[in-house]
Amino acid sequence: MAATYSLVDLETWPRKEHWEHFSTAAKCFISTTKKMDVTALHAATHASGERFYVAVLYVVSSVINRHREFKLSWQTKERRLIVWDEVSPSHLVFHKDDETFTCVWSRWTADFAAFSRGCREDMAKGLRHRGYRVPGIPENVFSASCLPWLGYGAPHLTLNGDEPYLAPIVTWGKAERIGKRLQMPLSFEIRHGAADGFHIARFYEEVAQEMEALAAHLRA
């Protein structure tokens, strides 16, 4: 099924001048990292037999799909800005034998059980594939990756290119115990033309809420 979208009318868009400034004079990204308390979610996934990685991917996808600013895309050929009706995560599987990775994608659905099943299947296919990415990854995706080996401070990814890349880039690292709590670094990067600090702060707030909600769901 083809992804659906709507056009952004730049003349009536409240961010028109922000878009123009950050697409010409100041082509920049906002990159932030916040330590998230994942104590409840980690325990709930362990007890229920679910994968913590899949749970985090679900939570991040859920929040991103709520907000228009995280679903923008620039169509180079048509020279127009669009907003997808929904976006799915493009994420990575790691090949231990040759220390490379392959990009896969998992179709977004609000049904956690269905998302979890699909995600596991997608990852299994990715492990059987060699090369940068599996065939058929659609346009309406955002980027997600995990560094399970590193409890980092603040990574920074610099993107170059004349055409604006607008999809969010989400990264999380190794969860580490701080006292009685388990904390995990979660990074979020997006082009400034699409979003501001307010939108990113709301992202983190809602991720925290969704983690608690999913943990409660898995415990029920």
Side-chain angles (χ1 to χ4, degrees):
M1 182 174 63
T4 55
Y5 60 84
S6 57
L7 297 177
V8 176
D9 184 352
L10 290 175
E11 294 307 313
T12 60
W13 191 30
R15 290 188 63 81
K16 176 187 176 183
E17 292 187 9
H18 305 72
W19 165 261
E20 292 174 346
H21 175 72
F22 290 116
S23 297
T24 56
K27 298 179 181 181
C28 62
F29 285 76
I30 306 174
S31 181
T32 58
T33 298
K34 179 177 174 58
K35 290 291 183 70
M36 307 297 296
D37 187 327
V38 296
T39 310
L41 184 60
H42 191 272
T45 53
H46 180 76
S48 64
E50 290 288 350
R51 291 188 61 171
F52 178 67
Y53 170 87
V54 174
V56 174
L57 191 64
Y58 172 86
V59 165
V60 167
S61 300
S62 177
V63 174
I64 285 176
N65 271 286
R66 289 179 189 170
H67 300 292
R68 178 183 175 93
E69 63 268 14
F70 299 151
K71 297 186 289 184
L72 295 170
S73 181
W74 176 253
Q75 294 187 319
T76 302
K77 183 178 180 180
E78 297 83 358
R79 307 302 297 175
R80 65 188 184 185
L81 186 66
I82 67 169
V83 56
W84 297 110
D85 290 341
E86 67 177 32
V87 292
S88 294
S90 171
H91 53 115
L92 312 176
V93 294
F94 183 68
H95 304 291
K96 293 182 180 180
D97 57 347
D98 63 4
E99 299 179 349
T100 63
F101 67 85
T102 296
C103 297
V104 300
W105 75 287
S106 297
R107 187 178 299 279
W108 162 246
T109 172
D111 182 331
F112 175 72
F115 179 82
S116 179
R117 287 193 302 270
C119 191
R120 290 169 183 255
E121 292 172 2
D122 298 329
M123 294 170 70
K125 291 176 184 176
L127 287 174
R128 296 192 295 270
H129 184 88
R130 294 304 167 114
Y132 176 66
R133 54 189 286 164
V134 298
I137 296 180
E139 292 183 80
N140 59 320
V141 293
F142 69 92
S143 299
S145 61
C146 176
L147 282 69
W149 317 276
L150 181 65
Y152 60 79
H156 178 69
L157 176 66
T158 300
L159 295 180
N160 296 315
D162 293 331
E163 301 299 336
Y165 181 86
L166 302 178
I169 301 171
V170 184
T171 309
W172 60 96
K174 181 180 180 181
E176 298 179 308
R177 193 160 296 280
I178 309 296
K180 295 183 178 180
R181 311 304 295 178
L182 200 60
Q183 294 192 347
M184 181 191 77
L186 178 65
S187 300
F188 187 91
E189 185 163 9
I190 194 167
R191 198 171 188 105
H192 206 342
D196 302 321
F198 167 83
H199 305 103
I200 296 176
R202 182 170 61 188
F203 166 81
Y204 283 113
E205 180 180 357
E206 293 186 2
V207 163
Q209 294 169 354
E210 284 300 309
M211 284 183 173
E212 291 296 326
L214 181 56
H217 170 74
L218 293 175
R219 290 195 299 265

mmCIF file of all heavy atoms in Angstrom, residues 128-159:
data_model
loop_
_atom_site.group_PDB
_atom_site.id
_atom_site.type_symbol
_atom_site.label_atom_id
_atom_site.label_comp_id
_atom_site.label_asym_id
_atom_site.label_seq_id
_atom_site.Cartn_x
_atom_site.Cartn_y
_atom_site.Cartn_z
ATOM 1 N N ARG A 128 19.456 -12.172 7.760
ATOM 2 C CA ARG A 128 19.738 -13.066 6.634
ATOM 3 C C ARG A 128 20.238 -12.306 5.410
ATOM 4 O O ARG A 128 20.667 -12.906 4.430
ATOM 5 C CB ARG A 128 18.481 -13.861 6.267
ATOM 6 C CG ARG A 128 17.999 -14.802 7.358
ATOM 7 C CD ARG A 128 16.947 -15.755 6.836
ATOM 8 N NE ARG A 128 15.721 -15.081 6.426
ATOM 9 C CZ ARG A 128 14.681 -14.847 7.227
ATOM 10 N NH1 ARG A 128 14.724 -15.243 8.494
ATOM 11 N NH2 ARG A 128 13.597 -14.242 6.775
ATOM 12 N N HIS A 129 20.164 -10.978 5.459
ATOM 13 C CA HIS A 129 20.551 -10.149 4.320
ATOM 14 C C HIS A 129 21.914 -9.513 4.582
ATOM 15 O O HIS A 129 22.202 -9.100 5.695
ATOM 16 C CB HIS A 129 19.500 -9.057 4.091
ATOM 17 C CG HIS A 129 19.753 -8.208 2.895
ATOM 18 N ND1 HIS A 129 19.296 -8.535 1.635
ATOM 19 C CD2 HIS A 129 20.427 -7.036 2.751
ATOM 20 C CE1 HIS A 129 19.660 -7.609 0.777
ATOM 21 N NE2 HIS A 129 20.351 -6.682 1.434
ATOM 22 N N ARG A 130 22.727 -9.411 3.561
ATOM 23 C CA ARG A 130 24.000 -8.714 3.678
ATOM 24 C C ARG A 130 24.000 -7.521 2.731
ATOM 25 O O ARG A 130 23.523 -7.594 1.615
ATOM 26 C CB ARG A 130 25.175 -9.642 3.380
ATOM 27 C CG ARG A 130 25.329 -10.759 4.413
ATOM 28 C CD ARG A 130 25.459 -10.193 5.814
ATOM 29 N NE ARG A 130 25.303 -11.195 6.849
ATOM 30 C CZ ARG A 130 26.282 -11.560 7.673
ATOM 31 N NH1 ARG A 130 27.468 -10.994 7.583
ATOM 32 N NH2 ARG A 130 26.057 -12.467 8.597
ATOM 33 N N GLY A 131 24.566 -6.446 3.213
ATOM 34 C CA GLY A 131 24.548 -5.209 2.449
ATOM 35 C C GLY A 131 23.957 -4.100 3.297
ATOM 36 O O GLY A 131 23.494 -4.316 4.428
ATOM 37 N N TYR A 132 23.974 -2.892 2.755
ATOM 38 C CA TYR A 132 23.576 -1.724 3.532
ATOM 39 C C TYR A 132 22.114 -1.742 3.942
ATOM 40 O O TYR A 132 21.774 -1.373 5.065
ATOM 41 C CB TYR A 132 23.881 -0.451 2.734
ATOM 42 C CG TYR A 132 23.407 0.801 3.428
ATOM 43 C CD1 TYR A 132 23.983 1.218 4.634
ATOM 44 C CD2 TYR A 132 22.375 1.562 2.896
ATOM 45 C CE1 TYR A 132 23.541 2.356 5.279
ATOM 46 C CE2 TYR A 132 21.928 2.709 3.538
ATOM 47 C CZ TYR A 132 22.516 3.095 4.727
ATOM 48 O OH TYR A 132 22.074 4.217 5.376
ATOM 49 N N ARG A 133 21.217 -2.180 3.046
ATOM 50 C CA ARG A 133 19.801 -2.130 3.372
ATOM 51 C C ARG A 133 19.037 -3.224 2.631
ATOM 52 O O ARG A 133 19.443 -3.660 1.562
ATOM 53 C CB ARG A 133 19.210 -0.763 3.012
ATOM 54 C CG ARG A 133 19.427 -0.336 1.592
ATOM 55 C CD ARG A 133 19.016 1.108 1.360
ATOM 56 N NE ARG A 133 17.567 1.271 1.327
ATOM 57 C CZ ARG A 133 16.948 2.435 1.443
ATOM 58 N NH1 ARG A 133 17.653 3.540 1.615
ATOM 59 N NH2 ARG A 133 15.650 2.526 1.387
ATOM 60 N N VAL A 134 17.944 -3.651 3.236
ATOM 61 C CA VAL A 134 17.075 -4.615 2.569
ATOM 62 C C VAL A 134 16.297 -3.883 1.471
ATOM 63 O O VAL A 134 16.086 -2.673 1.547
ATOM 64 C CB VAL A 134 16.102 -5.274 3.564
ATOM 65 C CG1 VAL A 134 16.856 -6.061 4.631
ATOM 66 C CG2 VAL A 134 15.177 -4.233 4.200
ATOM 67 N N PRO A 135 15.842 -4.594 0.458
ATOM 68 C CA PRO A 135 15.058 -3.947 -0.600
ATOM 69 C C PRO A 135 13.688 -3.499 -0.070
ATOM 70 O O PRO A 135 13.159 -4.066 0.897
ATOM 71 C CB PRO A 135 14.895 -5.062 -1.645
ATOM 72 C CG PRO A 135 15.931 -6.084 -1.312
ATOM 73 C CD PRO A 135 16.132 -6.003 0.168
ATOM 74 N N GLY A 136 13.153 -2.474 -0.703
ATOM 75 C CA GLY A 136 11.768 -2.109 -0.443
ATOM 76 C C GLY A 136 11.510 -1.172 0.714
ATOM 77 O O GLY A 136 10.361 -1.013 1.140
ATOM 78 N N ILE A 137 12.538 -0.531 1.248
ATOM 79 C CA ILE A 137 12.292 0.442 2.322
ATOM 80 C C ILE A 137 11.565 1.647 1.728
ATOM 81 O O ILE A 137 12.033 2.246 0.765
ATOM 82 C CB ILE A 137 13.605 0.873 2.991
ATOM 83 C CG1 ILE A 137 14.260 -0.328 3.697
ATOM 84 C CG2 ILE A 137 13.358 2.004 3.997
ATOM 85 C CD1 ILE A 137 15.565 0.004 4.402
ATOM 86 N N PRO A 138 10.406 2.025 2.275
ATOM 87 C CA PRO A 138 9.619 3.110 1.689
ATOM 88 C C PRO A 138 10.201 4.486 2.013
ATOM 89 O O PRO A 138 11.159 4.619 2.775
ATOM 90 C CB PRO A 138 8.245 2.921 2.341
ATOM 91 C CG PRO A 138 8.562 2.322 3.680
ATOM 92 C CD PRO A 138 9.748 1.426 3.450
ATOM 93 N N GLU A 139 9.592 5.507 1.430
ATOM 94 C CA GLU A 139 10.046 6.872 1.662
ATOM 95 C C GLU A 139 9.634 7.393 3.039
ATOM 96 O O GLU A 139 10.346 8.208 3.630
ATOM 97 C CB GLU A 139 9.475 7.806 0.600
ATOM 98 C CG GLU A 139 10.006 7.582 -0.800
ATOM 99 C CD GLU A 139 9.436 8.598 -1.764
ATOM 100 O OE1 GLU A 139 9.934 9.737 -1.788
ATOM 101 O OE2 GLU A 139 8.466 8.267 -2.477
ATOM 102 N N ASN A 140 8.498 6.957 3.525
ATOM 103 C CA ASN A 140 7.945 7.531 4.758
ATOM 104 C C ASN A 140 8.504 6.832 6.001
ATOM 105 O O ASN A 140 7.798 6.175 6.763
ATOM 106 C CB ASN A 140 6.413 7.462 4.753
ATOM 107 C CG ASN A 140 5.879 6.044 4.638
ATOM 108 O OD1 ASN A 140 6.417 5.226 3.891
ATOM 109 N ND2 ASN A 140 4.814 5.750 5.357
ATOM 110 N N VAL A 141 9.819 6.996 6.197
ATOM 111 C CA VAL A 141 10.473 6.413 7.365
ATOM 112 C C VAL A 141 11.314 7.482 8.065
ATOM 113 O O VAL A 141 11.713 8.475 7.463
ATOM 114 C CB VAL A 141 11.386 5.221 6.983
ATOM 115 C CG1 VAL A 141 10.570 4.046 6.467
ATOM 116 C CG2 VAL A 141 12.453 5.626 5.977
ATOM 117 N N PHE A 142 11.545 7.258 9.346
ATOM 118 C CA PHE A 142 12.533 8.030 10.089
ATOM 119 C C PHE A 142 13.626 7.072 10.521
ATOM 120 O O PHE A 142 13.456 5.849 10.455
ATOM 121 C CB PHE A 142 11.898 8.745 11.295
ATOM 122 C CG PHE A 142 11.441 7.821 12.392
ATOM 123 C CD1 PHE A 142 12.287 7.505 13.452
ATOM 124 C CD2 PHE A 142 10.170 7.269 12.369
ATOM 125 C CE1 PHE A 142 11.879 6.650 14.466
ATOM 126 C CE2 PHE A 142 9.747 6.412 13.386
ATOM 127 C CZ PHE A 142 10.605 6.106 14.436
ATOM 128 N N SER A 143 14.758 7.599 10.946
ATOM 129 C CA SER A 143 15.916 6.766 11.272
ATOM 130 C C SER A 143 16.017 6.497 12.768
ATOM 131 O O SER A 143 15.914 7.417 13.577
ATOM 132 C CB SER A 143 17.203 7.444 10.790
ATOM 133 O OG SER A 143 17.194 7.620 9.399
ATOM 134 N N ALA A 144 16.237 5.241 13.114
ATOM 135 C CA ALA A 144 16.421 4.848 14.513
ATOM 136 C C ALA A 144 17.585 3.871 14.609
ATOM 137 O O ALA A 144 17.755 3.012 13.741
ATOM 138 C CB ALA A 144 15.153 4.199 15.065
ATOM 139 N N SER A 145 18.401 4.016 15.640
ATOM 140 C CA SER A 145 19.506 3.088 15.848
ATOM 141 C C SER A 145 19.838 3.010 17.332
ATOM 142 O O SER A 145 19.509 3.902 18.108
ATOM 143 C CB SER A 145 20.748 3.509 15.047
ATOM 144 O OG SER A 145 21.198 4.785 15.450
ATOM 145 N N CYS A 146 20.491 1.916 17.694
ATOM 146 C CA CYS A 146 20.831 1.670 19.093
ATOM 147 C C CYS A 146 22.315 1.352 19.207
ATOM 148 O O CYS A 146 22.879 0.635 18.373
ATOM 149 C CB CYS A 146 19.993 0.504 19.621
ATOM 150 S SG CYS A 146 20.378 0.016 21.308
ATOM 151 N N LEU A 147 22.951 1.911 20.247
ATOM 152 C CA LEU A 147 24.339 1.601 20.579
ATOM 153 C C LEU A 147 24.341 0.846 21.916
ATOM 154 O O LEU A 147 24.599 1.427 22.965
ATOM 155 C CB LEU A 147 25.180 2.879 20.709
ATOM 156 C CG LEU A 147 25.646 3.587 19.433
ATOM 157 C CD1 LEU A 147 24.465 4.206 18.698
ATOM 158 C CD2 LEU A 147 26.676 4.640 19.755
ATOM 159 N N PRO A 148 24.035 -0.448 21.906
ATOM 160 C CA PRO A 148 23.893 -1.187 23.161
ATOM 161 C C PRO A 148 25.213 -1.398 23.897
ATOM 162 O O PRO A 148 25.219 -1.831 25.045
ATOM 163 C CB PRO A 148 23.298 -2.522 22.707
ATOM 164 C CG PRO A 148 23.802 -2.691 21.307
ATOM 165 C CD PRO A 148 23.826 -1.305 20.733
ATOM 166 N N TRP A 149 26.319 -1.052 23.238
ATOM 167 C CA TRP A 149 27.631 -1.267 23.839
ATOM 168 C C TRP A 149 28.123 -0.048 24.623
ATOM 169 O O TRP A 149 29.139 -0.119 25.304
ATOM 170 C CB TRP A 149 28.666 -1.570 22.744
ATOM 171 C CG TRP A 149 28.159 -2.513 21.712
ATOM 172 C CD1 TRP A 149 28.146 -3.886 21.773
ATOM 173 C CD2 TRP A 149 27.565 -2.159 20.456
ATOM 174 N NE1 TRP A 149 27.586 -4.392 20.637
ATOM 175 C CE2 TRP A 149 27.218 -3.365 19.819
ATOM 176 C CE3 TRP A 149 27.290 -0.946 19.822
ATOM 177 C CZ2 TRP A 149 26.612 -3.396 18.552
ATOM 178 C CZ3 TRP A 149 26.692 -0.971 18.576
ATOM 179 C CH2 TRP A 149 26.352 -2.177 17.950
ATOM 180 N N LEU A 150 27.398 1.074 24.517
ATOM 181 C CA LEU A 150 27.945 2.329 25.018
ATOM 182 C C LEU A 150 26.894 3.154 25.753
ATOM 183 O O LEU A 150 25.848 3.474 25.201
ATOM 184 C CB LEU A 150 28.499 3.157 23.834
ATOM 185 C CG LEU A 150 29.145 4.500 24.148
ATOM 186 C CD1 LEU A 150 30.415 4.286 24.979
ATOM 187 C CD2 LEU A 150 29.469 5.244 22.858
ATOM 188 N N GLY A 151 27.201 3.506 26.993
ATOM 189 C CA GLY A 151 26.371 4.456 27.723
ATOM 190 C C GLY A 151 26.952 5.836 27.520
ATOM 191 O O GLY A 151 27.704 6.343 28.340
ATOM 192 N N TYR A 152 26.616 6.453 26.409
ATOM 193 C CA TYR A 152 27.300 7.659 25.966
ATOM 194 C C TYR A 152 26.748 8.929 26.601
ATOM 195 O O TYR A 152 25.735 8.926 27.285
ATOM 196 C CB TYR A 152 27.243 7.758 24.448
ATOM 197 C CG TYR A 152 25.850 7.821 23.883
ATOM 198 C CD1 TYR A 152 25.127 9.007 23.894
ATOM 199 C CD2 TYR A 152 25.259 6.693 23.311
ATOM 200 C CE1 TYR A 152 23.846 9.068 23.365
ATOM 201 C CE2 TYR A 152 23.979 6.748 22.788
ATOM 202 C CZ TYR A 152 23.277 7.936 22.814
ATOM 203 O OH TYR A 152 22.000 7.984 22.296
ATOM 204 N N GLY A 153 27.447 10.024 26.314
ATOM 205 C CA GLY A 153 26.991 11.325 26.776
ATOM 206 C C GLY A 153 26.141 12.014 25.725
ATOM 207 O O GLY A 153 24.941 12.154 25.878
ATOM 208 N N ALA A 154 26.753 12.429 24.607
ATOM 209 C CA ALA A 154 25.992 13.143 23.586
ATOM 210 C C ALA A 154 26.652 12.977 22.224
ATOM 211 O O ALA A 154 27.560 13.722 21.873
ATOM 212 C CB ALA A 154 25.890 14.627 23.933
ATOM 213 N N PRO A 155 26.198 12.006 21.409
ATOM 214 C CA PRO A 155 26.762 11.865 20.069
ATOM 215 C C PRO A 155 26.263 12.993 19.170
ATOM 216 O O PRO A 155 25.241 13.617 19.430
ATOM 217 C CB PRO A 155 26.207 10.515 19.594
ATOM 218 C CG PRO A 155 24.895 10.415 20.294
ATOM 219 C CD PRO A 155 25.117 11.052 21.648
ATOM 220 N N HIS A 156 26.993 13.229 18.115
ATOM 221 C CA HIS A 156 26.567 14.256 17.169
ATOM 222 C C HIS A 156 26.786 13.735 15.762
ATOM 223 O O HIS A 156 27.870 13.251 15.428
ATOM 224 C CB HIS A 156 27.355 15.551 17.359
ATOM 225 C CG HIS A 156 26.979 16.616 16.385
ATOM 226 N ND1 HIS A 156 25.766 17.249 16.424
ATOM 227 C CD2 HIS A 156 27.654 17.133 15.330
ATOM 228 C CE1 HIS A 156 25.704 18.133 15.440
ATOM 229 N NE2 HIS A 156 26.839 18.076 14.760
ATOM 230 N N LEU A 157 25.742 13.814 14.953
ATOM 231 C CA LEU A 157 25.807 13.356 13.570
ATOM 232 C C LEU A 157 25.651 14.562 12.654
ATOM 233 O O LEU A 157 24.665 15.296 12.748
ATOM 234 C CB LEU A 157 24.681 12.351 13.298
ATOM 235 C CG LEU A 157 24.550 11.834 11.862
ATOM 236 C CD1 LEU A 157 25.780 11.008 11.500
ATOM 237 C CD2 LEU A 157 23.294 10.985 11.716
ATOM 238 N N THR A 158 26.632 14.792 11.798
ATOM 239 C CA THR A 158 26.577 15.925 10.882
ATOM 240 C C THR A 158 26.162 15.446 9.503
ATOM 241 O O THR A 158 26.794 14.560 8.928
ATOM 242 C CB THR A 158 27.948 16.615 10.794
ATOM 243 O OG1 THR A 158 28.322 17.075 12.089
ATOM 244 C CG2 THR A 158 27.884 17.805 9.850
ATOM 245 N N LEU A 159 25.090 16.031 8.982
ATOM 246 C CA LEU A 159 24.601 15.679 7.655
ATOM 247 C C LEU A 159 24.952 16.786 6.665
ATOM 248 O O LEU A 159 24.754 17.960 6.949
ATOM 249 C CB LEU A 159 23.083 15.485 7.675
ATOM 250 C CG LEU A 159 22.559 14.317 8.520
ATOM 251 C CD1 LEU A 159 21.044 14.257 8.434
ATOM 252 C CD2 LEU A 159 23.152 13.004 8.058
#
